[in-house]
Amino acid sequence: MESTNTLSMEDITTRIDQALDNIRPYLETDGGNVKILEITDDLVVKLELLGACGSCPMSTMTLKAGVEEAIRRAVPQVKAVEAVNITHPDDPHAKLPDNML
């Protein structure tokens, strides 16, 4: 396993982008997507959930089970993955994508 000392921030960003590209088709199926906002020096990845993912009550599960898992497989050194606009299941404005109704 490589350490962060052998990976540049550019390499880490590239690997994370590739990991996200692998799961984007699944997100897009439900009308969503994800965008990297920031990768901090201590390797916390901050994301924005886009489209249907930004208002879906399942977004917490999507983030943890799908997005975070893909990123950690690509870059095990990542400390955390956070979404700046996560929707909680009890949010009255949360809306499932049409194909999940």
Side-chain angles (χ1 to χ4, degrees):
M1 187 179 301
E2 298 173 84
S3 72
T4 53
N5 295 338
T6 61
L7 289 176
S8 70
M9 192 56 83
E10 183 177 333
D11 290 336
I12 290 169
T13 302
T14 298
R15 287 184 181 199
I16 292 171
D17 272 330
Q18 289 170 343
L20 293 176
D21 285 344
N22 288 334
I23 62 167
R24 274 195 173 96
Y26 303 105
L27 299 173
E28 290 169 349
T29 297
D30 292 329
N33 208 330
V34 63
K35 175 174 83 172
I36 298 172
L37 295 177
E38 178 184 8
I39 302 170
T40 67
D41 291 338
D42 57 346
L43 296 180
V44 173
V45 180
K46 296 188 181 192
L47 304 170
E48 180 179 10
L49 300 175
L50 304 171
C53 289
S55 60
C56 180
M58 303 295 285
S59 60
T60 301
M61 189 173 77
T62 299
L63 179 71
K64 291 294 177 191
V67 177
E68 183 174 353
E69 180 66 26
I71 289 172
R72 286 184 183 263
R73 270 196 313 257
V75 186
Q77 300 88 343
V78 165
K79 301 287 186 277
V81 178
E82 302 171 355
V84 299
N85 61 329
I86 200 82
T87 300
H88 296 284
D90 59 348
D91 183 331
H93 302 294
K95 179 181 180 298
L96 283 172
D98 291 337
N99 66 344
M100 293 181 75
L101 296 175

